């Protein structure tokens, strides 16, 4: 066995196709409903928000979708990303397990988010869009789209959840550096933002509210602006599959195959990106890799949310989809993994989880930061708080393998670096972080506000 640590692909190995799980998924897709009529949406409704190429990808069942040359050109700034064997972490844990991580933090914005931001900006440019709107929680998605919009000469306005805007001024400045306008949501720029502020001028904001504002800004622009979403939708998950496709080749270079593949989940895009190509191998080539999604106990969407139809945003402007949900009115606790504070989850992930093809676990905030510190001190990279959830689960797998005396091959997605998250690390280091379990009563109460969907038998 070689002692190689980094597994690097050539530029010529960059995947030329995105992998579409819809082609192989053993579970049928669930309908996407209009938030007003609760009838299946039409392309016309979606075309107010998205260019037609992305709508077609959203409903496509083609197995492989070619990545346009213009997108590959920009991917080449940072892809293929490295696969790294965490030898120093393995040693510190004294585990017989082999731990590999795919490092997406090498992208210009510092996470996996540019994989879809670049594609979305490209298809918008191609369709003649002049400007885009979006929301951002932690600021990772906003900075990715800011970078991508500038690359295709599009303007961008970002509705940034107010609590993150205040906690993370440097993420805002990064978006401004790429040329975007950033507003603390709830804002007084939209009808919905104004209505929220009228009720509570100190509302800290949520992803659900910021989505409503960004959607409203695009929907009321008479076609001048389109909206970009950083997770949840099929086309977003599709664009992220370059991660898993590269991993398959890199695991081959390492002469190993993962027993378990791990990713953190907010809306589900980085997890799907690494997991779906391995799920294809499970479904079609008799592999038996476990695919493990990791979420915070403060937003336990998969592990405790109800699998039902709910609105994608707080103002009920975004489509209604079937997903695990904590309720669209969810105001998340102020945990430091801002990107994991969404009330729902990608419908494709929920359906596969419900049918037993994926596993999920919820981890606590302090244990997550314990893992982040151990990782930073052994492997050198300070992980994004979101990604640290995957590290916690990877370490727990490695310790379980040690307890059972098993050689287990563990692969996780290090979805981003945490160089802009020093406030969170400071809170941890000074003992100010707290654990938070989302209360069951709040979930039960939120379920009373669900849309009453009646599907034809
Ligand atoms: C670094 C990082 N990882 C993970 C996520 C969670 O999003 P998703 O589940 O779509 O990958 C985010 C979201 O902002 C993020 O910034």
């Amino acid at each position: 066995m070689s002692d190689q640590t980094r597994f690097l692909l050539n530029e010529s190995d960059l995947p030329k196709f995105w992998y579409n799980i819809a082609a192989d998924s053993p579970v049928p897709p669930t309908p996407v409903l209009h938030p007003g009529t609760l009838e299946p949406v039409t392309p016309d409704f979606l075309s107010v928000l998205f260019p037609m190429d992305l709508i077609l990808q959203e409903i496509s069942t083609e197995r492989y979708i070619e990545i346009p040359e213009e997108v590959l050109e920009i991917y080449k700034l940072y892809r293929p990303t490295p696969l790294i064997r965490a030898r120093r972490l393995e040693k510190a844990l004294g585990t017989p397990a082999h731990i590999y991580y795919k490092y997406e933090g090498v992208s210009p914005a510092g996470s996996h988010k540019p994989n879809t931001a670049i594609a979305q900006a490209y298809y918008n440019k191609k369709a003649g869009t002049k400007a885009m709107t979006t929301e951002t929680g932690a600021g990772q998605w906003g900075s990715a789209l800011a970078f991508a919009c500038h690359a295709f000469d599009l303007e961008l306005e970002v509705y940034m959840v107010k609590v993150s805007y205040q906690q993370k001024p440097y993420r805002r400045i990064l978006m401004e550096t790429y040329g975007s306008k950033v507003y603390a949501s709830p804002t007084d720029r939209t009808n919905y933002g104004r209505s929220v502020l009228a009720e509570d001028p100190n509302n800290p904001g949520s992803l659900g509210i910021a989505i409503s504002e960004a959607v409203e800004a695009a929907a009321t622009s008479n076609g001048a602006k389109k909206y970009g979403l950083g997770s949840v939708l099929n086309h977003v998950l599709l664009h992220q599959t370059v991660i898993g496709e590269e991993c398959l080749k890199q695991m081959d270079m390492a002469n190993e195959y993962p027993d378990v593949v791990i990713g953190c989940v907010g809306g589900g895009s980085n997890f799907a990106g690494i997991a779906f190509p391995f799920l294809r191998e499970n479904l079609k080539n008799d592999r038996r890799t476990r695919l493990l999604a990791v979420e915070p106990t403060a937003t336990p969407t998969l592990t405790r949310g109800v699998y039902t139809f709910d609105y994608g945003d707080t103002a009920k402007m975004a489509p209604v989809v079937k997903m695990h949900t904590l309720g669209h009115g969810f105001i998340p606790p102020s945990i430091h993994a801002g990107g994991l504070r969404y009330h729902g989850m990608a419908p494709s992930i929920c359906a596969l989880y419900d049918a037993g093809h994926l596993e999920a676990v919820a981890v606590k905030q302090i244990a997550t930061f314990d893992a982040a510190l151990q990782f930073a001190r052994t492997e050198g990279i300070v992980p994004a708080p979101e990604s640290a959830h995957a590290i916690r689960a990877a370490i727990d797998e490695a310790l379980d393998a040690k307890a059972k005396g098993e050689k287990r091959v563990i692969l996780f997605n290090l979805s981003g670096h945490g160089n802009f998250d020093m406030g969170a690390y400071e809170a941890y280091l000074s003992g100010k972080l707290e654990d938070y379990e989302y209360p069951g009563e709040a979930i039960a109460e939120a379920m009373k506000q669900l849309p009453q969907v009646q599907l034809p038998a």
Side-chain angles (χ1 to χ4, degrees):
M1 168 95 29
S2 88
D3 56 2
Q4 195 171 339
T5 297
R6 285 157 62 86
F7 299 89
L8 304 176
L9 295 169
N10 293 320
E11 212 167 275
S12 56
D13 295 318
L14 220 162
K16 306 287 184 294
F17 296 87
W18 292 301
Y19 169 59
N20 185 7
I21 189 69
D24 296 319
S25 181
V27 290
T30 50
V32 175
L33 307 177
H34 188 287
T37 62
L38 299 181
E39 297 288 329
V41 288
T42 56
D44 273 0
F45 170 77
L46 294 174
S47 68
V48 174
L49 300 180
F50 305 108
M52 197 45 77
D53 281 335
L54 292 178
I55 296 172
L56 292 175
Q57 288 182 2
E58 190 61 26
I59 53 176
S60 171
T61 50
E62 229 174 284
R63 181 167 291 117
Y64 293 104
I65 295 181
E66 194 167 4
I67 306 176
E69 200 51 49
E70 292 85 341
V71 172
L72 287 174
E73 268 314 302
I74 305 183
Y75 276 180
K76 281 181 193 163
L77 290 176
Y78 64 98
R79 301 212 75 83
T81 60
L83 178 81
I84 301 169
R85 169 117 179 248
R87 291 183 180 275
R88 296 169 57 83
L89 176 63
E90 285 170 16
K91 196 161 167 223
L93 296 170
T95 178
H98 291 183
I99 307 175
Y100 293 84
Y101 61 96
K102 178 71 165 164
Y103 187 38
E104 290 293 303
V106 295
S107 81
S111 77
H112 64 296
K113 299 280 179 181
N115 298 334
T116 182
I118 295 163
Q120 292 189 38
Y122 164 75
Y123 288 114
N124 270 288
K125 182 71 182 178
K126 192 173 157 229
T129 307
K130 296 281 179 276
M132 292 184 70
T133 70
T134 197
E135 71 292 326
T136 196
Q140 286 273 17
W141 164 243
S143 25
L145 195 60
F147 159 71
C149 278
H150 188 73
F152 288 102
D153 200 18
L154 296 169
E155 287 177 16
L156 174 66
E157 59 192 63
V158 183
Y159 293 82
M160 185 172 189
V161 177
K162 193 186 279 170
V163 54
S164 299
Y165 186 95
Q166 289 160 347
Q167 274 175 359
K168 300 193 169 190
Y170 295 126
R171 272 279 163 200
R172 166 177 60 76
I173 296 164
L174 179 60
M175 291 182 258
E176 291 169 350
T177 301
Y178 286 133
S180 300
K181 295 250 177 351
V182 187
Y183 305 100
S185 166
T187 72
D188 59 5
R189 294 174 54 82
T190 63
N191 285 331
Y192 187 62
R194 284 187 290 273
S195 75
V196 172
L197 288 174
E199 235 171 70
D200 175 9
N202 297 318
N203 189 308
S206 70
L207 264 184
I209 295 171
I211 293 174
S212 300
E213 289 210 271
V215 166
E216 181 184 326
T220 55
S221 70
N222 284 326
K225 299 173 189 171
K226 297 276 184 205
Y227 166 70
L229 187 64
S231 192
V232 179
L233 296 175
N234 293 337
H235 68 265
V236 180
L237 275 51
L238 170 83
H239 299 152
Q240 294 295 352
T241 56
V242 286
I243 302 172
E245 294 292 7
E246 286 179 7
C247 282
L248 277 162
K249 292 184 191 169
Q250 288 164 308
M251 291 301 311
D252 226 24
M253 287 169 84
N255 257 325
E256 301 220 70
Y257 198 84
D259 296 304
V260 56
V261 171
I262 301 171
C264 66
V265 281
S269 74
N270 88 86
F271 172 67
I274 194 164
F276 282 178
F278 286 94
L279 179 57
R280 175 189 63 213
E281 300 306 307
N282 282 359
L283 293 168
K284 295 180 76 73
N285 293 323
D286 259 354
R287 293 287 194 173
R288 294 274 180 275
T289 300
R290 290 169 47 225
L291 305 167
L292 178 62
V294 193
E295 59 189 12
T297 53
T299 56
T301 320
L302 282 173
T303 50
R304 291 178 54 214
V306 178
Y307 186 41
T308 183
F309 282 91
D310 197 7
Y311 300 98
D313 69 332
T314 312
K316 309 180 191 173
M317 289 164 66
V320 168
V321 292
K322 190 169 184 194
M323 60 183 176
H324 284 80
T325 178
L326 299 167
H328 57 273
F330 176 66
I331 298 278
S334 291
I335 54 160
H336 280 278
L340 306 185
R341 290 190 294 214
Y342 183 57
H343 68 274
M345 183 65 62
S348 57
I349 289 184
C350 293
L352 287 161
Y353 173 65
D354 197 57
H357 296 279
L358 309 173
E359 299 174 24
V361 65
V363 296
K364 291 184 179 170
Q365 180 163 241
I366 294 175
T368 297
F369 274 84
D370 292 343
L373 259 276
Q374 188 168 26
F375 187 80
R377 289 176 181 180
T378 48
E379 296 297 316
I381 299 168
V382 177
E386 291 83 3
S387 322
H389 290 71
I391 300 177
R392 175 73 267 161
I395 290 178
D396 289 345
E397 285 284 336
L399 292 176
D400 183 59
K402 178 180 173 180
K404 294 178 177 149
E406 271 174 39
K407 190 210 137 192
R408 197 175 299 177
V409 179
I410 300 164
L411 166 64
F412 74 87
N413 196 14
L414 188 59
S415 54
H417 68 64
N419 295 356
F420 288 93
D421 298 285
M422 289 302 139
Y425 281 90
E426 186 186 28
Y428 171 79
L429 291 168
S430 58
K432 291 196 190 115
L433 277 196
E434 286 174 11
D435 280 332
Y436 188 92
E437 302 260 353
Y438 196 65
E441 307 84 69
I443 301 174
E445 195 54 37
M447 293 309 116
K448 295 181 187 157
Q449 309 297 327
L450 291 175
Q452 297 304 309
V453 172
Q454 270 157 7
L455 293 176

